[in-house]
Amino acid sequence: MKVADVFKWKNPEIRALHLTWIAFYITFFVWFGMAPLASSMLKSLDWLTPDDIKLFAIANVALTIPARIIVGMALDRWGPRRVFSVLLVVMALPALFFAFGDSRVQLLVSRLVLSSIGASFVVGIHMTAMWFKPKDIGFAEGFYAGWGNFGSAAAAMSLPAIAIHIFGGPEGWRWAIASSALIMAAYGVYYWFAISDGPPGTVHHKPKKASAMEVSTWADMIKLILWTIPMVGVLGILVWRIEDMGYLSATGATVCYVVIALVVLYQIIQILRVNVPILKKGVPEDDKYPFNSVAALNSTYFANFGAELAVVSMLPMFFELTWGLTPTTAGIIAASFAFVNLVARPMGGLVSDRLGNRRFVMLAYMFGIGVGFLMMGLMSEKWPLLVAVAVTVACSVFVQGAEGATFGIIPSIKRRITGQISGMAGAYGNVGAVCYLTLYTFVSPSQFFMIIAAGAFISFALCFVWLKEPEGAFSEEYYVSSVDRELEALRQQEVTIK
């Protein structure tokens, strides 16, 4: 696939790509609409504090974690078209609730529910994998995610101006958020009728069970359990911060901890229920895959997408306070971090497609992220603003490129469970964001950037040891095992009987 191909709108796969990144773009626009309006909210609502805004930023990425797991399962059952359309329409409700919320609790709860919209990412990844072949998937996924992620930059650049110049007044920020929510709902209805799950005749490979990821060995099952616990367990950090800031009583926090523990226990039971029968029967050699690669990619997304979500959530206020800028100017400058998504993320996927070694590309990008955030950790008001912006953009190139490289690998690991692998890696992006944003409430911005740099170097080491080049990563078609063929034959029989 060439860059020029993205202009061939009449090609069905290109049309599907554009329809899907637009859907993703809108969700990110709505999802990150709070950060550029934070200072306007503080001026408009005298009962709101900067600490509340920091807590809302954590809540803004919290439920994305379980949502991505659930949506990953839903994708394998119902397909991306239905899931994306429903998500776009349903998530407009908490966005509207946040826009007109009139208490700290209302804003917190609506932000928590709205954080589920982050699951939109894995939906589009799955849809794109349905339309494009392995040799082109890196660029296609990178283009989808890069242009979709640009929604956060567009929100940072435009929402302050919309709130001030179009709606105006102290309530302008409310109407700016509400209008974006209504556009999202309308596009959800359009998306339902405008696209299908892959080209005509596409076989939608489904896992044996959608309730938990299949693995190949007993050791991999233990690893899956160990990697599953933090995905929901990390919500305990959020509960602790909410209780610590007086939003939740001790009793309420205890109830939340018990619920989190029960959800983790339920997921472990599902893993055992799905995999014990499979492993007792024995997994054919041609159906096995290395779970270590999934774990390595979980760590990369923790370190790159987690960092992006955290940085996007704090960068406008960082520039505003460090260099004494206006909210509009700070929003535009901070948007430079996400702005490069338009080029950097597709480039990450394209480089992954062209170099013939997806593992090497992944390692190079993760090392670059570490160096980039080290540089950002040294920034201060003494730096010329132009230099600070240049460093921010350069760091972002590696962050977005690493995200593109991550999802250039995922669809080739195990076709049958692409939705679940995407969901797990995507969820780890939000685990990273929750961890990083929580740490941000205790440290200075410089220390915060240093911590993110350390996370990138740790992920680099894990990839160096665990990540393997996926089989058939540059083929014309996705690898299909003997079990895939048996499952497809069974489904064909079921369709014939009906």
Side-chain angles (χ1 to χ4, degrees):
M1 182 179 179
K2 300 175 182 176
V3 175
D5 290 339
V6 299
F7 299 105
K8 298 176 180 175
W9 174 264
K10 291 183 179 178
N11 289 357
E13 68 274 17
I14 298 300
R15 183 170 181 271
L17 180 62
H18 288 306
L19 288 173
T20 303
W21 77 254
I22 291 171
F24 182 42
Y25 170 96
I26 294 173
T27 61
F28 258 56
F29 190 97
V30 174
W31 190 13
F32 289 99
M34 184 192 74
L37 296 173
S39 57
S40 298
M41 292 173 63
L42 287 171
K43 292 172 185 172
S44 170
L45 307 174
D46 56 7
W47 41 266
L48 203 62
T49 69
D51 283 342
D52 291 327
I53 294 293
K54 287 185 176 179
L55 181 61
F56 295 163
I58 301 173
N60 197 42
V61 297
L63 292 190
T64 310
I65 300 166
R68 284 188 168 180
I69 301 168
I70 295 169
V71 165
M73 297 174 184
L75 284 172
D76 291 329
R77 185 181 294 272
W78 291 296
R81 177 182 68 91
R82 295 174 182 173
V83 174
F84 218 155
S85 297
V86 170
L87 193 69
L88 287 162
V89 174
V90 171
M91 283 298 106
L93 298 177
L96 288 170
F97 194 73
F98 180 82
F100 299 109
D102 207 23
S103 72
R104 294 198 310 165
V105 173
Q106 287 178 9
L107 295 180
L108 176 65
V109 171
S110 57
R111 215 66 225 178
L112 269 172
V113 177
L114 181 60
S115 65
S116 301
I117 200 174
S120 61
F121 170 69
V122 296
V123 188
I125 285 292
H126 195 78
M127 177 65 94
T128 307
M130 298 285 287
W131 281 92
F132 288 87
K133 300 181 186 301
K135 63 184 179 66
D136 297 323
I137 195 64
F139 179 68
E141 299 281 28
F143 186 87
Y144 153 77
W147 282 67
N149 272 11
F150 181 66
S152 64
M157 289 188 290
S158 64
L159 277 177
I162 292 173
I164 294 171
H165 301 297
I166 295 181
F167 295 108
E171 303 292 298
W173 66 270
R174 295 184 185 275
W175 292 104
I177 292 174
S179 58
S180 63
L182 293 174
I183 291 172
M184 180 172 69
Y187 192 83
V189 175
Y190 170 72
Y191 193 79
W192 179 282
F193 297 103
I195 198 169
S196 62
D197 289 333
T202 298
V203 177
H204 185 193
H205 293 286
K206 297 180 180 180
K208 295 176 181 177
K209 300 286 184 182
S211 54
M213 189 185 299
E214 301 168 28
V215 293
S216 305
T217 66
W218 293 102
D220 284 352
M221 188 178 72
I222 300 298
K223 294 172 188 172
L224 174 59
I225 290 172
L226 293 176
W227 278 90
T228 298
I229 293 172
M231 286 198 297
V232 179
V234 73
L235 294 179
I237 296 175
L238 177 65
V239 173
W240 166 68
R241 283 300 287 158
I242 291 175
E243 181 191 8
D244 189 53
M245 293 182 67
Y247 280 85
L248 197 63
S249 67
T251 304
T254 302
V255 171
C256 290
Y257 290 133
V258 170
V259 170
I260 290 170
L262 289 175
V263 172
V264 171
L265 182 62
Y266 173 78
Q267 286 194 307
I268 293 173
I269 291 172
Q270 291 301 314
I271 290 171
L272 296 172
R273 191 175 69 82
V274 168
N275 284 292
V276 168
I278 293 174
L279 295 174
K280 280 185 175 179
K281 183 180 176 182
V283 180
E285 283 299 319
D286 72 333
D287 196 49
K288 291 182 177 178
Y289 74 97
F291 182 80
N292 278 353
S293 289
V294 178
L297 296 176
N298 289 344
S299 80
T300 64
Y301 223 58
F302 180 105
N304 55 49
F305 191 65
E308 181 190 343
L309 290 185
V311 170
V312 166
S313 299
M314 54 76 69
L315 208 55
M317 192 171 284
F318 168 71
F319 271 102
E320 183 179 346
L321 298 180
T322 304
W323 279 275
L325 306 175
T326 65
T328 301
T329 305
I332 292 173
I333 291 176
S336 61
F337 189 87
F339 184 81
V340 294
N341 253 317
L342 292 176
V343 176
R345 188 151 179 163
M347 186 188 299
L350 191 63
V351 170
S352 182
D353 286 345
R354 296 288 172 82
L355 284 191
N357 190 326
R358 298 190 189 277
R359 177 179 178 274
F360 172 78
V361 173
M362 191 76 258
L363 287 168
Y365 270 120
M366 292 314 297
F367 189 80
I369 291 176
V371 174
F373 279 123
L374 274 178
M375 294 293 293
M376 288 185 73
L378 300 175
M379 291 194 313
S380 70
E381 72 281 0
K382 298 177 182 176
W383 281 43
L385 185 57
L386 281 177
V387 176
V389 173
V391 170
T392 301
V393 170
C395 180
S396 182
V397 167
F398 283 96
V399 173
Q400 324 296 348
E403 293 167 7
T406 299
F407 278 87
I409 298 176
I410 282 178
S412 299
I413 291 180
K414 189 69 178 171
R415 177 66 161 168
R416 192 168 69 238
I417 55 173
T418 295
Q420 290 172 330
I421 297 175
S422 299
M424 190 174 200
Y428 261 92
N430 285 78
V431 172
V434 170
C435 292
Y436 287 145
L437 283 170
T438 302
L439 287 169
Y440 177 57
T441 63
F442 297 104
V443 300
S444 67
S446 295
Q447 292 169 326
F448 174 67
F449 291 129
M450 293 293 185
I451 290 170
I452 294 178
F457 285 128
I458 291 172
S459 176
F460 170 84
L462 292 177
C463 285
F464 188 81
V465 177
W466 287 343
L467 185 61
K468 292 184 178 178
E469 189 71 18
E471 189 173 352
F474 299 95
S475 304
E476 286 290 335
E477 299 294 342
Y478 289 98
Y479 176 76
V480 178
S481 71
S482 58
V483 175
D484 291 324
R485 290 191 289 272
E486 288 173 14
L487 290 172
E488 180 53 28
L490 284 174
R491 290 193 185 97
Q492 290 297 332
Q493 285 180 5
E494 291 172 1
V495 171
T496 304
I497 292 172
K498 288 179 180 177

